[in-house]
Every structure is written in structure tokens, then in C-alpha cells.
Amino acid sequence: MKLKRPILLVNKVKCKRNIAVMANKAKEHSLIFRPHFKTHQSVEVAELFLEHGVEAIAVSSVTMAEKFASTGWNDITIAFSVNVNELEEINHLAQSNSINILVENIEAFSFIRKEINNNIGVFIKIDAGYNRTGVDYKSISLVDDIISVCAENTLLKFKGFVVHSGNTYQAKSPDEILEIHTTTVSVLNELKSRYIKKYPDIIVSLGDTPSCSIANNFSGIDEIRPGNFVYYDVMQYSFGSCRLDDIAVCVACPVVAIHAHRNKIVVYGGAVHLSKEYIEVDGDKIYGLPVKLSPNGWDIMPEGNFMKGLSQEHGIIHLQTEEIEKIMIGDFIGILPVHSCLTANLMKDKLLFVSEFSLSINSVYSKNN
Amino acid sequence: MKLKRPILLVNKVKCKRNIAVMANKAKEHSLIFRPHFKTHQSVEVAELFLEHGVEAIAVSSVTMAEKFASTGWNDITIAFSVNVNELEEINHLAQSNSINILVENIEAFSFIRKEINNNIGVFIKIDAGYNRTGVDYKSISLVDDIISVCAENTLLKFKGFVVHSGNTYQAKSPDEILEIHTTTVSVLNELKSRYIKKYPDIIVSLGDTPSCSIANNFSGIDEIRPGNFVYYDVMQYSFGSCRLDDIAVCVACPVVAIHAHRNKIVVYGGAVHLSKEYIEVDGDKIYGLPVKLSPNGWDIMPEGNFMKGLSQEHGIIHLQTEEIEKIMIGDFIGILPVHSCLTANLMKDKLLFVSEFSLSINSVYSKNN
């Protein structure tokens, strides 16, 4: 297959390995494995989860729930504080699917309660310290109030508590991630022990990829909802969540200019392909890491090669002399994304499994010269 | 019209005013006005340029050229160092359209020259100090070589020189923008005077919105190619390129959570809607500015209200107490984007002209309570 423009290459072998590792970890700890599909948003990638018996998923919008419901995924948690403007769509989904919503506000939920006309599961979103959204875990009276409102409509079933420890993304080290995770686990256990007598089926669920990748203490936890791990990315690598070799996607970009004297190449591949997400290393902003494409995948370049700038459609890559000498205009180079969720969202209509194609990665130009 | 999910609202009145101001400025300075359509990427917004007699446009990818060619735009500069993997598509476009390409490398161009089989205009991309891409303006021998290669294929017509002063985006003040612009103007004039005898129709063209908005010296310049000005954004406002009132787009987002005690609201509207672009003000990262939606547009909120965080689908907005008190869960709030090019790209399938609809911006929920 001949590449022409930027495309998202998905390495199925790595993808399947990442899924297997997480599925086995869930099994080992007797956790419900409810992968978050917001990262890949792909019906084809979703199918890779089937061989591990995955049936329950999480998504981050009603639109995504509709997409996956239409392709056979029937147990869906919409892991996003419910948008009251979409109750009609949620009711419709709940007609033939098992749908869970997230609630955190009593006034809004009192209204929602009246509008729901199909069976729906209700998780209370708990803020265990991230301070983004959710009920403060110490606000027991608010939790009680939400559970009471739930009881006023027999179609609503109180299911339990969810936390998304998004603050692990601000962590500076694996130890800090573990510290945040330990707090989350203890907050969820405290809530569980308070309500389990009255609700013996209660589920406590946590979600972020850094914790799920690094931690080994899931004592008392019932469910995990990681999403990013399916692809991983440079940011997760920088946290210690994965190895560089685990990153399962790259954006293949054609080289459009070479400025060897300043060790820079320009690729067709910019913010509209990768997103502007970056990590900072020694004062350099890094927007991605270049890899050498091969017919069936890619090889990692030595440290010191990185994408150093992005405009809308262009990317500037700093390459060491020994790397730049091997490249010609028109060749394709791969970029491991800093944040694969955002990259995959931008490239969701341009996804290609590398293992299924033998790629022609050298340009017409280089072949003719 | 009832809003349900994040949508890009385009204020046609502001849009038309921005276009009129730039078109008049071009007329006043006898410049060819070749607006860059990469910002809006919209067939409907493109039509707003027609009343100013605009016929020539710039785009930043072959895909965009194909899109606009198919809707009647026939004079197109693909303002992007040519991707040799797309020569087939470029040849095809040039069959029935007037296409210009950008060239900066002699080896690649020697190959391109052989492959072109329709009339195509050639601009040499000049690096006047941005150091992103282009021929160093001092490399006269390379310029001469490219022009010679051009002459070897009668279908290729050497048209002139283009500069994109993307370094204005790093400027700290309008004065710095003017300084960069002055350099660009003088570089282009120097090149023009060197080649005008042999090529009396030579065109020198510059492009960035900050320069085109602020500068008034276009002496010797033949063409401008600004793009962002059609919408402007918070970043352009921070440069002094526009007033807040000139920003012609906002993303309307439903409020999903209110945390009044910490002056924060959470909206359904995140990095996949706005992009992760930010500006830094007094140590705060600002991802957008909230505005109050009204049935026919929006009103700017006082300083001190801003979007302070973004995850994939959520945004966190800091609101002052007097603003937060007026908001209910389910209401829509507008966000002026930091970088409208990236936002419009993300929202290109979710665009709505506000002047054509009377929006219902309060949620079902707030109407029922």
C-alpha cells in the first residue's frame, strides 16, 4: 500500500499485547475490566478486546455511546457527568442497552430522575482529590441525598461510585502516581464499607491508565476503566506507565523539507494531526518522537531526536546528523504521539493497521533517484 | 433551534466585518487579496468573501485544494512546501484549475519538474527569518537554480516569492510584529528588485494575520494571504491584532457541573473541541475566554473569567462569583478559542451561523425549575 498523506498507523501486535496485559491484570485482581473506548474510538480496535471476554465498556460522550451501541456493545457507562440536554438520547439508548450514567449534583439529578423512562444505572462521581468534577468524598450527606433521589424512580438503580484520578497526569514520578492511587483506593473503600450493607451489589470503580498500569494494590476495588493503555503514548512513557516499545500508534508523515545544516526536517503533519500536546524535557517542548518506519512497523530512533514544533499542518523535527543523512524528501517518517487520545481523535478517519499492509514508505521521488 | 452538544457558533456579522476590513486594506494598498482558507475550511464561510470580489485563495493541503476546487474556487495556491507523494493529485487539480505550488528544494523540484503535466505556477518559498521552512533569502544561487529548473518544463511558470512570517506568533508586542514585518517586506523587495527585469510579472506575497492586521507598510508587496483574521481568536487579541469584539467564533458548551465554592464550572467541551492551545497570562494557562450566549450572539464577560483546564471532553472554567450565580446546569456557555484555526478544524462538521437561528441556550432543566 502506497502512503500519500499523514495517516495513523496502529500496530496491532502491540495493541493486542497492551490489551492482554491489562486484561490479565484485571483477572488476577478479580476486577471487572471495563475499558474506556474514548482513546481509540475505533470499531476495529474495539474488536481486539473481544478475545478477552470484554463486554462492558466506558465512553466519554453520548455520541460515542451511540456509535458503539450500534456496533454491538451493549453494556456502556457514559463516564461523563450527565449532560441534561441529552436525556432524550440517553433514554433512547437505554431502551435496548444497559446504560450507566454519572451523577454528582442533586438539583440536576432531581430533574433527570423525572425524565428517565427506561432502566438506567447510576454511579455517583466522586472527587477523591482531583478537584475537576464529582462529589467531594467527604460530603456524605450529598451522597445520601443522591441515593434517596435515585430511589424515587424504580427505573434508576444506584450502582456505586466512580473516581477518575486525573491528577496522576500531573505526577512527577511513579511513586507520586502510586500515592494518588493509594488515596483513591482508600476513599473508595471507605465509601463502599459505608453503603455495602444496604447495597450489597455496590461497585467501586477507578479509571486512569497511569494507576492501572503501575499499581498492584486494588484491594476492595471492583472495576477498572483505563483507556489510554490500548495505545499508550510519549506522555505515559514519561510517567513510567509503559515502555517506548509499548506505544502502539504513530502518525506516518511525508517529509517535505530537509534543512541538514540546522538538523531539522519539516514534515506534512502538524497540530491538526497530532494535537498541540507536549511534554517538557530539559526546557525543550517535545511534541512527539520520530521513529523509522519499516514495512511492518517501526523502529525507535536514539534519544536526542524529537519533534520540536508544530503549526497547523507542518511539524519540525530535530534529527541528529546520522539520522538526517538517511532521509530524503518524500520519505515517510513516523511520529509517536505525546497524547494518543487526542491524536487518535484527530486521525479517527485515517487509521491503518500496519500488520495488514506492507507499506511503501519511500517516496516516488527517492525511488526514481 | 435547540442546542444539545458542543457546537461552533459563527457570528456572520463579525465575520463579514473582519473580511471587509481586510479586503479594504488590500484594496487601499493595491494588494492582491488571496485569503487563506485553512482557518475556516468552510464552503459557507468561503462564500462571504465573494462580495469583495475575491477569486484567489490559499490553502494548506492538497485535500483542502480539492475541497474548494470542487465548490468553484479555481485560483488556488497550495501554500505548503509541495509533498512529492501527491503529484498525481496536483496534476489532476491543475487540469481545470489555476494551481500554484511552493518549492524550496532543488533535488525534489528536479523530480517534480519531470512529473508535472499541466500548467502550474511556481512560487519559491523564502525563509525571511522564521527558520521553519523555505530557502534562506540570502541563498541567491539556490533561487537561481530553482528558477532554471522551472524553465526546463514549459508547463511550469515561475511566479515569484512567498514568505510566511510565522515568527510574528512569538512576538511579545505589536512593535515586535511590526519589526518582523519590516524585515519581511525588505527581504521580499530585495528579491523582487533582483528578478523583476527578467520576470516583470513577478509577485511577492506575504501571509500572517498579525502583520496584515497591524502593519500599514506594504510598499512593494503584491499579495497578502492572511487566514486567521476571518475569525480571529484570543491569541490574536493578545498580540493586539484584533479587539475581543472582533472574535467571530465561539464554542457553545453545555454546563455539566457547578462548583460554586471554588468558582469553577465544568462544561462538556474539551481538547477535542477547542484544542490544547493556550496563552499564558500572569502564570495562568488560559485555554479560552467564556462569553454569555444570547439568542443572536454573545456578550463578553469581565476580565478574570477564563477557561483554566481542558481534558479530552471536559473543560474547567474559572468564573467570578457574580457570573457563576447566574448559571445553571444544562445552560450553554460560549468559549472564545485561543487558536481558532485548530478549533475550527476540530469542529468543522459542527458549524452554525448564529445570525440565522434564534438559539435556545437555556437547558430543559432550567426551564422546568
Side-chain angles (χ1 to χ4, degrees), chain A residues 4-5 86 132 278 311, chain B residues 5 86 89 132 278 311:
Chain A
K4 295 193 157 206
R5 302 181 175 125
E86 292 181 297
R132 186 175 70 173
Y278 63 86
S311 56
Chain B
R5 302 181 174 127
E86 293 180 297
E89 288 78 5
R132 187 175 67 174
Y278 64 87
S311 56

Side-chain angles (χ1 to χ4, degrees), chain A residues 4-5 38 64 83 85-86 89 104 107 132 276-278 311-313 316 329-330 365, chain B residues 4-5 38 64 83 85-86 89 105 107 132 259 276-278 311-313 316 329-330 365:
Chain A
K4 295 193 157 206
R5 302 181 175 125
K38 79 183 171 79
M64 265 185 238
N83 170 17
N85 300 286
E86 292 181 297
E89 288 78 5
E104 63 163 297
E107 292 83 9
R132 186 175 70 173
K276 291 277 289 202
E277 196 89 76
Y278 63 86
S311 56
Q312 181 168 341
E313 307 269 352
I316 312 280
I329 287 182
Y365 162 63
Chain B
K4 295 194 158 207
R5 302 181 174 127
K38 79 183 171 79
M64 265 185 238
N83 170 18
N85 300 286
E86 293 180 297
E89 288 78 5
N105 175 286
E107 292 82 9
R132 187 175 67 174
H259 300 282
K276 292 278 289 203
E277 196 89 77
Y278 64 87
S311 56
Q312 180 167 341
E313 307 269 352
I316 311 281
I329 287 182
Y365 162 63

Side-chain angles (χ1 to χ4, degrees), chain A residues 251-253 255 265 267 290-291 293 301 317 327 331-335:
Chain A
V251 179
C253 301
V255 176
I265 64 167
V267 294
V291 293
L293 296 179
M301 283 189 191
I317 304 174
I327 287 175
D331 289 351
F332 275 75
I333 190 165
I335 311 293

Side-chain angles (χ1 to χ4, degrees), chain A residues 10-39:
Chain A
V10 179
N11 188 314
K12 209 185 253 192
V13 175
K14 292 178 195 233
C15 225
K16 287 171 101 165
R17 190 175 65 200
N18 294 340
I19 294 169
V21 169
M22 196 62 83
N24 290 336
K25 189 165 190 175
K27 198 172 287 174
E28 189 188 322
H29 292 274
S30 305
L31 298 161
I32 303 164
F33 181 35
R34 183 185 284 277
H36 205 313
F37 279 8
K38 79 183 171 79
T39 303

Side-chain angles (χ1 to χ4, degrees), chain A residues 39 228 231-234 247 249 337-345:
Chain A
T39 303
N228 178 283
Y231 289 160
Y232 284 119
D233 53 35
V234 174
I247 301 175
V249 282
V338 169
H339 189 169
S340 60
C341 305
L342 299 186
T343 305
N345 176 67

